[in-house]
């Protein structure tokens, strides 16, 4: 069995939390004591039925205000698959929390309110989904009960979104008309929309193929920790531990260590009490080399036949996540896998206007702004482009004055 | 030599090992909080997988309420002996003796809340900058909201409205003086995942997780161990029942369930069919709708 990670996006009150509550409820994933707790809660729907959104709105402030502030993670499984859901906030003020939930997902459910159609927040979230390289999108046209389950309304929204999806290069979009409140097309096929011949949301989620997401074949393992027992029997033991982020390593492969450029051969791959002949993307292992090489945390082991980009200047998309605006005169810290290096924003190439998706020059970069910058790092970064490898093509920016995570960056091109 | 077939347990395991190694790499003085429960026992196995044949880059820390199941302490001591790792014990009894906290009174008194004070004192005494814990997001709705690297202020407080963004698999462990980070490597595991992992790895558990005969009383609809640590009066009727524990904490706040499950397979099928959550057996969560959030804001795990 494998895991599908997905998240819900869309504007405030489009029904994201309700949709997740409905998915859990109709798959019988809510346990009796949790159900009792929501039945006893003060927040109820207008018609007196239980408000399923409080299943994920776990904070006091969220329940009081009836909105989602931060991501909630929920887990359920069917016979076919395990699911990890991130319920993210729709409010623009909390976009960074939405990005947090989105960054680890393989699929996005973007909700729109059938009455309002595509609005600014739909565009913003769709844009973020495209930036973050999330391959599969479901456009869930919600609150169909409020528009008499009208096919015309659904078609109009679908048509409009197709133009947007094309512009954003979202290739795999599935359109489903739903009512999260009433349960139409969430788990069960709706009887009130017989004109819709597609699958219910759950059915779709169960079978969507996510097998070959990160397609990079290039073997990379950032070293997190060096194991050196220094005991009598293991006097010469030296193992380099980390998680393979793309491609795969085999025993006897020729490897290069970056940034030093030293090369060697893999003599052994260990995983606790097992020896492996191969370690592939996603596995946490320990690699041994045939020769003595100086390696420490922050170095990256790569296959010598497929070297990464190596540069101190890189063009990257940036989502700014701090209330304090970007300051091009100061030095930030950049964290790329296990590597931490100093970094300046050498240039703001453009900022994106979320309403029109137009790019324009800017010298200011504030909370929730998105655009393109040139990063200049103190050390060479051994990276790949984000399109090829999410893990080796992304980094975060940290403000060393506050230690907060202030930016998410995705590497797009070499800069000169 | 074997080729690896990567399924969901492998994926969860690889993620947890990655997180543990990030802690080792990013912090000066980390610690692993060991409660004696199945989740922290799972963490210990994951730490072995992350760091063996080297030593753990952190000690194990047990915040001892003094109101333990004997089986948990026996288990702890033999485990530490087998591992050859360092154990630090923070004693709630000592905090009480020193007058730093006051024992609760009444029928439902528990030392669960007092633990936080001892925990914070222990963190301060040893200057821990990161504490690894076995909390899972599926346990409780406030936990469902917490980051994997969760920054706490000098007083151990969690501020749910000011969590840092946490992107991809990049964990920012930079903190200001006085702050520390709580780290949750098995955030994305469910109760069933933990049991399936324990079965797969053939991990031994304290015997109280399996069905056994025990004297119990019924309190607020829950079965509590008839123990000197649970305040009893004439109204309480002691009965002998076949029970097991689904989660293990302080005796005075952990309820048992009636069960015949002797074997791990029985437990897994029992949980798969259960209609009650694991935390349903914790008195400490029943207090109010935001009980866990409030405790976390106060420094609890
Ligand atoms: N009529 C109708 N109402 C709905 C439907 N789905 C959600 N709602 C209502 O819309 C309101 C907002 O729902 P939520 O699920 O809290 O919205 P959200 O998208 O999670 O909002 P934020 O997380 O704050 O961005 C609630 O009153 C829901 O009951 C639907 O399908 N039909
Ligand atoms: Mg919501």
């Amino acid at each position: 069995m494998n895991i599908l990670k997905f998240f819900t996006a869309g504007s405030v009150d489009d029904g994201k939390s309700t949709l997740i509550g409905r998915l859990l409820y109709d798959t019988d994933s809510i346990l009796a004591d949790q159900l009792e707790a929501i039945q006893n809660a003060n927040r109820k729907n207008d018609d007196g039925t239980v408000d399923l959104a409080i299943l994920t709105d776990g904070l006091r402030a969220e329940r009081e205000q009836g909105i989602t502030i931060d991501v909630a993670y929920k887990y359920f499984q069917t016979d076919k698959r395990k699911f990890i859901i991130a319920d993210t906030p729709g409010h623009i003020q909390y976009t960074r929390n939405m990005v947090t939930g989105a960054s680890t997902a393989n699929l996005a459910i973007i909700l729109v309110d059938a009455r309002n159609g595509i609005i600014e927040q739909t565009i913003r979230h769709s844009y973020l989904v495209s930036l973050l390289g999330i391959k599969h999108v479901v456009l869930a046209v919600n609150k169909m009960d409020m528009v008499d389950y009208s096919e015309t309304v659904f078609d109009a929204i679908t048509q409009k979104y197709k133009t947007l999806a094309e512009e954003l290069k979202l290739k795999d979009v599935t359109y489903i008309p739903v009512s999260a409140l009433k349960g139409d097309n969430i788990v069960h096929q709706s009887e009130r929309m017989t004109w819709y011949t597609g699958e219910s949301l759950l059915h779709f989620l169960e079978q969507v193929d996510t097998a070959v997401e990160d397609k990079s074949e290039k073997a990379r393992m950032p070293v997190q920790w060096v194991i050196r027992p220094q005991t009598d029997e293991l006097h010469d033991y030296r193992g380099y531990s980390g998680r393979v982020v793309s491609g795969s390593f085999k025993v006897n492969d020729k490897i290069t260590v970056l940034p030093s450029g030293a090369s060697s051969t893999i003599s052994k791959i260990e995983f606790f009490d097992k020896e492996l002949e191969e370690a592939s993307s996603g596995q946490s292992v320990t690699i041994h080399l045939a020769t003595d090489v100086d390696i420490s945390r922050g170095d990256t082991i790569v296959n010598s036949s497929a070297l990464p980009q190596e540069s101190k200047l890189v063009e990257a998309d940036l989502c700014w996540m701090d209330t304090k605006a970007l300051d091009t005169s100061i030095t930030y810290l950049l964290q790329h896998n296990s590597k931490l290096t100093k970094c300046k924003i050498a240039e703001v190439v453009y900022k994106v206007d979320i309403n029109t998706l137009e790019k324009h020059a800017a010298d200011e970069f504030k909370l929730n702004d998105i655009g393109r910058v040139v990063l200049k790092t103190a050390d060479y970064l051994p990276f790949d482009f984000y399109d090829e490898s999410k893990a080796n093509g992304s980094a975060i920016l940290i403000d060393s004055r506050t230690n907060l995570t202030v930016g998410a960056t995705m590497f797009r091109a070499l800069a000169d | 030599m074997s080729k690896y077939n990567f399924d969901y347990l492998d994926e969860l395991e690889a993620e947890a090992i990655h997180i543990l190694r990030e802690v080792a790499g990013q912090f000066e003085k980390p610690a692993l909080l060991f409660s004696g429960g199945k989740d922290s026992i799972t963490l210990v196995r994951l730490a072995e997988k992350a760091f063996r044949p080297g030593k753990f880059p952190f000690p194990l820390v047990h915040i001892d309420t003094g109101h333990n199941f004997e089986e948990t302490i026996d288990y702890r001591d033999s485990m530490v002996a087998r591992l050859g790792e360092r154990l630090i014990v923070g004693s709630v009894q000592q905090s009480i003796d020193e007058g730093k906290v006051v024992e609760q009174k009444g029928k439902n008194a528990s030392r669960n809340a007092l633990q936080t004070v001892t925990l914070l004192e222990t963190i301060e005494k040893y200057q821990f900058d990161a504490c690894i814990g076995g909390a899972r997001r599926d346990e409780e709705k406030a936990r469902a909201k917490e980051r994997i690297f969760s920054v706490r202020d000098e007083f151990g407080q969690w501020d749910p409205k000011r969590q840092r963004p946490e992107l991809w698999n990049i964990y920012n462990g930079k903190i200001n003086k006085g702050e520390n980070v709580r780290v949750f490597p098995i955030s994305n595991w469910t109760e069933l995942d933990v049991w399936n992992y324990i079965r797969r790895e053939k991990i031994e558990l304290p015997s109280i997780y399996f069905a056994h005969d025990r004297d119990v009383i019924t309190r607020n609809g829950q079965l509590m161990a008839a123990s000197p640590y649970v305040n009893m009066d004439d109204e309480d009727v002691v009965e002998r029942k076949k029970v097991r524990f689904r989660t293990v904490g302080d005796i005075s706040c952990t309820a048992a369930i009636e069960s015949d499950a002797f074997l791990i397979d029985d437990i897994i099928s029992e949980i798969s069919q259960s209609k009650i959550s694991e935390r349903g057996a914790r008195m400490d969560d029943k207090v109010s709708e935001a009980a866990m959030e409030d405790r976390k804001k106060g420094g609890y795990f």
Side-chain angles (χ1 to χ4, degrees), chain A residues 1-3 5 28 30-34 37-38 41-42 54-63 65 68-77 82 84 87 94 96-97 99-101 103-104 132 224-225 227-229 231 234 237 241-243 251 270-278 280-286 297 321 333 335-338 340 386 390-391 394-398 400-410, chain B residues 1-27 45 47-57 136-147 158 160-177 179 186-193 196-197 200-201 246 271 273-281 286 288-291 293-294 297:
Chain A
M1 191 145 51
N2 67 9
I3 306 181
K5 296 185 184 174
D28 218 5
I30 305 169
L31 297 166
D33 53 318
Q34 294 166 341
I38 64 167
N42 294 327
I54 41 180
L55 274 171
T56 58
D57 287 340
L59 300 175
R60 190 198 295 276
E62 293 178 324
R63 287 192 299 273
Q65 297 170 45
T68 305
I69 293 171
D70 209 337
V71 205
Y73 294 90
K74 286 281 161 192
Y75 305 81
F76 78 107
Q77 78 181 78
K82 279 179 73 79
I84 300 183
D87 180 25
Y94 308 121
R96 58 185 175 196
N97 298 335
V99 176
T100 291
S103 68
T104 51
L132 289 165
Q224 295 181 269
W225 183 251
I227 298 181
R228 291 218 58 190
T231 56
L234 294 169
Y237 186 104
S241 295
R243 193 170 188 192
V251 174
E270 280 184 315
F271 178 58
F272 189 46
D273 52 0
K274 291 193 198 72
E275 271 191 37
L276 311 177
E277 59 195 50
E278 180 173 0
S280 309
S281 178
Q283 283 180 258
S284 286
V285 294
T286 300
R297 176 179 166 83
M321 311 183 123
L333 286 171
Q335 191 171 341
H336 172 241
N337 290 314
S338 57
L340 209 53
Y386 188 81
K390 282 189 186 179
S394 60
I396 59 168
L397 289 176
I398 299 167
S400 45
R401 298 167 297 185
T402 58
N403 288 323
L404 295 176
T405 303
V406 294
T409 69
M410 288 143 279
Chain B
M1 291 209 261
S2 58
K3 179 144 176 152
Y4 218 55
N5 190 4
F6 214 55
D7 80 348
Y8 76 92
L9 278 182
D10 297 316
E11 187 176 335
L12 293 171
E13 177 187 60
E15 175 183 70
I17 293 172
H18 173 251
I19 294 163
L20 286 169
R21 287 172 174 163
E22 280 306 288
V23 176
Q26 292 197 40
F27 295 93
R45 169 53 58 95
E48 290 184 89
K49 293 212 173 185
F51 303 112
R52 289 292 184 244
K55 285 197 91 71
F56 291 179
R136 307 187 324 266
R137 285 169 174 159
D138 83 322
E139 279 178 81
E140 205 282 333
K141 58 189 178 304
R143 289 203 158 150
K145 295 253 149 192
E146 196 163 7
R147 300 283 187 261
W158 179 53
K161 288 178 109 168
R162 293 194 42 208
Q163 297 201 87
R164 291 176 181 176
E166 190 163 80
L167 296 134
W168 300 290
N169 300 313
I170 310 175
Y171 304 101
N172 172 7
K174 290 266 163 215
I175 46 172
N176 302 312
K177 234 188 154 39
E179 290 175 343
I186 57 168
S187 285
N188 287 325
W189 299 42
T190 63
E191 181 188 16
L192 205 52
D193 295 336
N196 279 317
Y197 188 72
R200 189 182 86 169
E201 298 292 314
R246 230 171 128 179
I271 294 168
Q273 287 156 25
S274 171
K275 289 271 143 213
I276 303 286
S277 77
E278 174 185 354
R279 285 250 148 201
K286 299 237 149 185
S288 81
E289 222 191 351
E293 179 179 346
D294 292 341
K297 284 176 177 163

Side-chain angles (χ1 to χ4, degrees), chain B residues 118-226:
Chain B
T118 311
L119 170 64
L120 297 179
E121 267 183 16
T122 310
I123 291 174
E124 195 168 330
K125 177 169 169 199
Y126 293 93
Q127 297 283 299
F128 293 131
D129 50 7
C131 294
I132 302 160
R136 307 187 324 266
R137 285 169 174 159
D138 83 322
E139 279 178 81
E140 205 282 333
K141 58 189 178 304
R143 289 203 158 150
K145 295 253 149 192
E146 196 163 7
R147 300 283 187 261
I148 289 175
F149 270 39
S150 180
V151 180
R152 302 298 178 94
D153 71 8
E154 207 176 334
F155 304 95
Q157 300 180 104
W158 179 53
D159 184 351
K161 288 178 109 168
R162 293 194 42 208
Q163 297 201 87
R164 291 176 181 176
E166 190 163 80
L167 296 134
W168 300 290
N169 300 313
I170 310 175
Y171 304 101
N172 172 7
K174 290 266 163 215
I175 46 172
N176 302 312
K177 234 188 154 39
E179 290 175 343
N180 63 76
V181 179
R182 305 287 170 89
V183 180
F184 305 112
I186 57 168
S187 285
N188 287 325
W189 299 42
T190 63
E191 181 188 16
L192 205 52
D193 295 336
V194 171
W195 280 105
N196 279 317
Y197 188 72
I198 287 169
R199 171 165 66 181
R200 189 182 86 169
E201 298 292 314
K202 304 189 173 64
I203 299 170
E204 224 186 287
L205 289 183
S207 53
I208 53 174
Y209 277 110
F210 301 94
H212 57 281
D213 291 316
R214 184 180 286 269
D215 287 340
V216 293
I217 56 167
T218 305
R219 229 357 124 66
N220 308 329
Q222 310 249 31
L223 296 179
M224 307 297 293

Side-chain angles (χ1 to χ4, degrees), chain A residues 10-19 43 45 51 53 57 66-68 87-91 142-146 178-182:
Chain A
S11 189
V12 185
D13 280 355
D14 282 351
K16 298 177 291 299
S17 302
T18 308
L19 178 132
R43 207 167 112 186
N45 292 321
D51 180 355
D57 287 340
I67 59 161
T68 305
D87 180 25
T88 73
H91 200 291
N142 189 31
K143 307 200 184 180
M144 288 301 290
D145 55 300
M146 307 283 275
V178 301
S179 168
L181 190 70
K182 312 277 182 204

Side-chain angles (χ1 to χ4, degrees), chain A residues 135-328:
Chain A
K135 298 282 182 306
H136 311 276
V137 175
V138 173
L139 190 84
V141 180
N142 189 31
K143 307 200 184 180
M144 288 301 290
D145 55 300
M146 307 283 275
V147 295
D148 288 332
Y149 298 101
S150 155
E151 184 176 10
T152 326
V153 172
F154 176 71
D155 285 345
I157 294 172
T158 307
Q159 279 317 315
K160 212 170 154 203
Y161 195 82
K162 279 185 178 152
T163 318
L164 179 66
E166 205 158 300
E167 202 175 336
L168 294 174
K169 300 192 176 65
L170 298 172
K171 292 198 189 70
D172 177 15
V173 185
T174 302
Y175 299 86
I176 308 181
V178 301
S179 168
L181 190 70
K182 312 277 182 204
D184 296 271
N185 287 334
I186 302 292
V187 170
H188 309 293
Q189 201 76 24
S190 172
E191 280 160 17
R192 289 175 282 226
M193 289 181 273
T194 43
W195 49 264
Y196 172 74
T197 53
E199 296 170 291
S200 72
L201 177 65
L202 178 71
H203 205 243
F204 176 75
L205 296 174
E206 282 183 326
Q207 52 76 36
V208 58
D209 181 18
T210 57
V212 277
E213 294 296 69
D214 245 0
K215 54 188 179 298
S216 176
E217 300 279 306
K218 299 170 182 171
R220 313 275 183 252
M221 191 189 85
V223 175
Q224 295 181 269
W225 183 251
V226 181
I227 298 181
R228 291 218 58 190
Q230 290 175 305
T231 56
D232 288 342
E233 27 346 334
L234 294 169
H235 193 265
D236 295 322
Y237 186 104
R238 224 175 218 281
Y240 306 104
S241 295
R243 193 170 188 192
V244 180
V245 297
S246 66
S248 75
F249 291 97
K250 290 196 184 67
V251 174
N252 292 328
D253 276 357
K254 299 245 173 312
I255 60 92
T256 303
V257 181
L258 295 169
S260 77
S263 53
S264 186
T265 306
I266 295 180
S267 59
K268 191 160 72 169
I269 303 173
E270 280 184 315
F271 178 58
F272 189 46
D273 52 0
K274 291 193 198 72
E275 271 191 37
L276 311 177
E277 59 195 50
E278 180 173 0
S280 309
S281 178
Q283 283 180 258
S284 286
V285 294
T286 300
I287 286 181
H288 295 256
L289 300 178
T291 52
D292 267 346
V293 189
D294 177 14
I295 301 180
S296 50
R297 176 179 166 83
D299 291 341
T300 304
I301 297 177
V302 307
N303 190 306
S304 302
S305 64
L307 296 177
Q309 309 291 335
E310 255 202 293
S311 174
K312 291 184 179 181
L313 277 176
V314 55
E315 235 187 88
D317 281 322
L318 171 67
C319 303
W320 194 254
M321 311 183 123
D322 196 25
T323 45
K324 212 182 265 171
L326 166 69
D327 184 344
T328 49

